[in-house]
Amino acid sequence: MNVPYSWLREFLPGLPEPEAVREVLDSLGLAVEEVRRLPAPPAGVVFGRVLKAEEVPGTELKKLEVDVGREVVTLVSGAQGARAGIGLAVARPGVVLPDGTEIGEREIHGVTSEGMALSPAELGVGEYAGGLLELPADALEPGRELAEVWPEEVVFELELTPNRADAFSVLGVARDLAAKLELELVEPPVDVEESPVARFVTVEVEDPEGCDRYLARYAGGLEIGPSPLEAQRRLLAVGLRPINNVVDATNYTMWELGGPLHAFDLEEVAGGIVVRRAKAGEKIVTLDGEERRLVPDDLVIARRVAGGTEPVAVAGVMGAANSEVTEKTREVVLEAAHFDPVRVRLTARRLGLSTDSSYRFERGVDPNLPPRAAARFLHLLQRWSGCTVGDVVVDVGGDKPRREVPFRPGYANRLLGTGFDAASQLAALERLGCEVAGEAEPYAVRPPTWRVDLNIEEDLVEEVGRILGYEHVPTEPLALIPAPDNLNAEEPYRREEALRRAMRGLGGWEAINYTWLSPAYLSLARAPEPRRFLKNPMDQSKNALRTALYPGLLETLAANREERHRFFFELGHVFLDVEETRLAVVLGGPLVEAGWQPAFGEGYPAVKGVLEALAARAGARVEVRPQPHPPLHPGVSGTVFWNDEPRGFIGRLHPQVEEALELGPVHLFELLLPLPEAERSFRDLPKFPPARRDLAVVVPENVPHVEILDLVRRFGGPYLEAAELFDVYRGRPLAEGQKSLAYHLTFRHPDRTLTDAEVDEEMGRIVTAVLEAGYKIRE
C-alpha cells in the first residue's frame, strides 16, 4: 500500500515531517517497508498544448504542433493517444531526463522534431511507459515548467497485515495517525450540486448473501478526457496509471477512502441492473480483453436485455468490456456496493485475476461506506468536468448496525502489564471512531463499521496498546504464580510429548508431513478413501485430508532412499468420519546402524520390538493377533491389542505398494491415541525365588501363538507371573502341517516359597485346558 505524504498532510495539517511519521507508523503496526522520494520533473520540461495532430505518411507516427508558450513547436510522437486538444509534458532540446538521456532536435521520416513529448516513466514520475502523460488542455499556461506545480513527493510503502482492511486507504492511515498523535482529522469534502434526472436504471439484487448492499448514482453531461494534473500526480505516486476523468475518479476515491467503485456507461445498462449468481458455463470478456468462463459460485452484475440478463461485471473483481466508459460516454451509472469477501476471494483466485478492487473486498470493506464513497466520486467528477449529478439514489440493503463489544480497562491493564487509567483508554478508543457507553466496567464499546477486525474484547485491548504506546508495556516477565492444571487440560499434550520423547529415544526420526494428500496417492497406498476435500487447492496433488499417517511416512521413506537409517515416526491427526490422533511408525531398513559393526534389528521383529518397548514404558500389555489389513502383506498382518483393546495394525507393507513406490521391504504400525497407561505404584523386589517350568504344545500350523498364550494365562492360576514363547519347532517327528510352541512359565508366591506340589497343580490345570482345546503336549 503506497501512501503519499502530501495526501496524508491534506487530511492532517499538523502532521510532522516524514521521518517522524515513519516512526509513528511503525509503532502503530503499519510497517513501513520503504520510504521513496519521487523527484519533481526535470528542469526545462514544460507544459504544452497540442493544437494540431496529423499522421506522418507511410508510418504510424504523428506530427504534432504544440503551443509551448512563446512559440509553437513541432514534435513527432508514436503514442496512440497523441491528438489535438490535450496537454503534454514537453522536453525541449538540452533537457536531461532522469535516465540520463539528453533531448536534442532530430529529423524523423523527414519531419524535424523539436523536442519530445514524455510518458510518466520518461518524466520520472511514474512507472507507466506505454503512452504519453495526457493532461487537460487548460491544466497550465503553455510554456510553464511542470516542476513549479509538480513538487517532489515522499511515498510511504506500507506492509499491511490482512486484518487491517481499513488501512488500505489514505484516510484509514490518517485516522490511525490522528488517534496516535491527537491531531484534528480533516475529512475530504463530498458536497455536490444535484439536479433532477430524466431517466435512471432499476436495481434488483437476487443474491443478498453475495451482495448485502448495492448503491447506484447518476452523472451526466460528461466530456471524457484527462483528469486534472494534481489528481494524476497522486495516482502516479501510488502506482496507478491515469486513464480518463471518470475512471481516475473511481481509482482516486478507492485509494482515498478504501471503497472500490465501478462506472457503467448508462446507454449499455439502461434496461436495468441485476446482481445474481453466474450461470454454469456463462462467459464474460473482462476489461483486460480476456474471455473468462464463470461458475454458479461467482457473483455477477448483469444488465437486462431482450430474453434475460447478460453479465457486465464480475462483482468486486473487474468490469466487462461491453459496458465500459469510452470517449463517447455521456452518462454513467456509478456502482458503490458491498460484496461478500469470501465469494470475491474465491472468484478472484479461480479466475487468476487479482485487482485493487478484489484485494480490498477480500479483506473486508466498510458496509456503510458506499453512500459516502459515491458522494466523494461525484464531488470529484463534478469539480473536474462540470458534470451534472442526479438527485436520485438507488440503495438496496441500507446501512448496517454497529456491533457492541464489552470492554474492561482493568482487564486491558492485566493483559498488557500496564497502568493506563480508564479515561485514557476510553479516549483512545473514541479517537479511533468507537462509541463508548457506560459508567463502569464493563463499558459497551461500539467500533466503527470500517474496523471489521474489532470483534472481541482482546481486539480492543490491542488498540489501547497501539494508541497509548507499546513502549509502556514492561519488558520484564510478569510475576505470575502458575496455577495447577486442575482440569488436566494439559494431560493430552504431556502424553503426546512423552510419546515423542520415547520414540526419539528408540532411535526414530520424527516427520511432520502435509495433512493434505492426493486421493490417488491414498488409494495407491491402500489407505481409506478420503472424506474431506479442499475446493480450491493451490496444489492439485494435495487436495484431500489424509485418512492415515503411514502414506505420508512412505513419502518420507521414498525421499530418503540414500539414507542408511530409515526409521521414521509421526504423531498427528487423521480425518475419517471423525478426527483422530494417531502414532505411525515405518521401518525401511535396520533399526540401528553401526559404522564398523553389522546393523541391528530388521524386519517385523524390529518394528514389533518398538511396539513392545512403548508398551513396557506405559506398563501396558500388548499383543498382535493375525488379521488382514488392506495396506499390509497378507501373510504379515495383524491387529494390535493394547490392554486387550484393538488399537491399530502392524505388519509388512503390501508388496504391490512396495513395488509401486519403488521401496524395499517396509514394516510399519499405526495406533489410535491415546494409549492407556497403567497406574504407577511402588512394589518391593521379590523376596522369594520363582518356580520355572517349560511347556511345549503341538498345534496345527494355522493356530496363532496368542491363542495358546490366552489359554495358559486363563488357567495358570494366581501364581503364574509370566509366560514367554521361546521356541517354535517344525519338522520330524511332528506331522506335516504341525508346529511346536515352547513356553517358559514362571510361578511365584508373594509371601513364601511355592512347593513343587503347588506348582504341579498349576501346571496340571494348564495341561488339561490345552488338551481339552484339542491340542497335544510335546514330550
Side-chain angles (χ1 to χ4, degrees), residues 434-750:
C434 297
E435 295 177 357
V436 179
E439 300 297 328
E441 294 188 359
Y443 294 91
V445 175
R446 299 174 67 208
T449 52
W450 63 75
R451 289 301 301 271
V452 296
D453 58 317
L454 302 184
N455 298 295
I456 60 176
E457 186 175 15
E458 287 74 11
D459 293 333
L460 300 179
V461 172
E462 182 181 4
E463 294 304 294
V464 167
R466 282 196 325 119
I467 301 304
L468 297 186
Y470 285 128
E471 66 270 17
H472 297 292
V473 176
T475 55
E476 65 274 8
L478 298 177
L480 298 176
I481 300 175
D485 186 17
N486 294 327
L487 299 178
N488 290 325
E490 296 182 7
E491 186 59 26
Y493 169 78
R494 292 194 184 110
R495 285 189 174 186
E496 290 177 9
E497 284 304 301
L499 200 53
R500 286 187 173 95
R501 286 195 300 271
M503 285 302 308
R504 290 192 291 264
L506 290 167
W509 288 358
E510 183 175 7
I512 301 175
N513 289 304
Y514 285 114
T515 305
W516 301 92
L517 293 171
S518 77
Y521 181 74
L522 288 169
S523 175
L524 175 65
R526 297 180 173 238
E529 290 186 5
R531 273 71 158 175
R532 299 288 184 269
F533 299 87
L534 196 59
K535 285 187 177 180
N536 294 285
M538 296 183 67
D539 183 351
Q540 291 293 337
S541 67
K542 293 180 172 59
N543 66 334
L545 280 172
R546 64 188 178 189
T547 53
L549 294 182
Y550 75 86
L553 289 176
L554 295 180
E555 285 188 327
T556 305
L557 273 180
N560 290 273
R561 298 178 196 277
E562 304 303 319
E563 294 289 338
R564 298 176 64 191
H565 183 69
R566 297 198 298 156
F567 172 23
F568 299 99
F569 75 93
E570 182 172 8
L571 196 154
H573 298 276
V574 301
F575 303 86
L576 297 161
D577 295 326
V578 296
E579 184 177 345
E580 297 177 355
T581 306
R582 294 186 181 182
L583 168 70
V585 171
V586 297
L587 182 62
L591 193 63
V592 177
E593 277 287 349
W596 53 275
Q597 290 180 331
F600 171 77
E602 293 189 75
Y604 177 75
V607 79
K608 186 170 183 286
V610 173
L611 177 64
E612 291 172 341
L614 293 178
R617 171 193 159 277
R621 184 174 64 258
V622 67
E623 294 174 354
V624 177
R625 299 181 182 177
Q627 187 174 349
H629 291 272
L632 300 181
H633 191 296
V636 191
S637 174
T639 299
V640 176
F641 284 79
W642 188 280
N643 287 347
D644 301 322
E645 180 184 354
R647 280 281 165 174
F649 55 85
I650 186 173
R652 178 177 172 178
L653 189 63
H654 198 286
Q656 292 179 357
V657 181
E658 291 178 349
E659 182 179 358
L661 298 179
E662 298 181 355
L663 298 170
V666 176
H667 293 80
L668 59 95
F669 66 77
E670 186 161 322
L671 305 177
L672 174 65
L673 302 182
L675 299 172
E677 298 184 6
E679 290 289 336
R680 301 292 183 176
S681 59
F682 174 78
R683 186 173 61 180
D684 287 332
L685 293 173
K687 296 180 181 179
F688 300 95
R692 295 188 174 90
R693 297 285 191 276
D694 288 344
L695 175 69
V697 182
V698 178
V699 298
E701 186 65 50
N702 61 354
V703 174
H705 134 74
V706 70
E707 187 173 316
I708 306 303
L709 194 60
D710 282 345
L711 276 176
V712 172
R713 286 174 176 165
R714 193 160 62 248
F715 293 96
Y719 305 136
L720 180 63
E721 185 178 76
E724 178 185 359
L725 178 70
F726 72 91
D727 183 56
V728 179
Y729 176 77
R730 298 174 181 86
R732 300 184 62 183
L734 300 181
E736 188 174 349
Q738 299 282 315
K739 64 182 176 183
S740 171
L741 304 176
Y743 297 87
H744 288 313
L745 307 182
T746 302
F747 300 88
R748 194 193 307 265
H749 196 289

Side-chain angles (χ1 to χ4, degrees), residues 185-209:
L185 181 67
V186 179
E187 300 277 354
V190 295
D191 56 295
V192 293
E193 292 184 14
E194 296 181 345
S195 305
V197 176
R199 61 166 187 162
F200 200 49
V201 295
T202 59
V203 175
E204 181 183 355
V205 178
E206 293 183 355
D207 186 1
E209 291 183 358

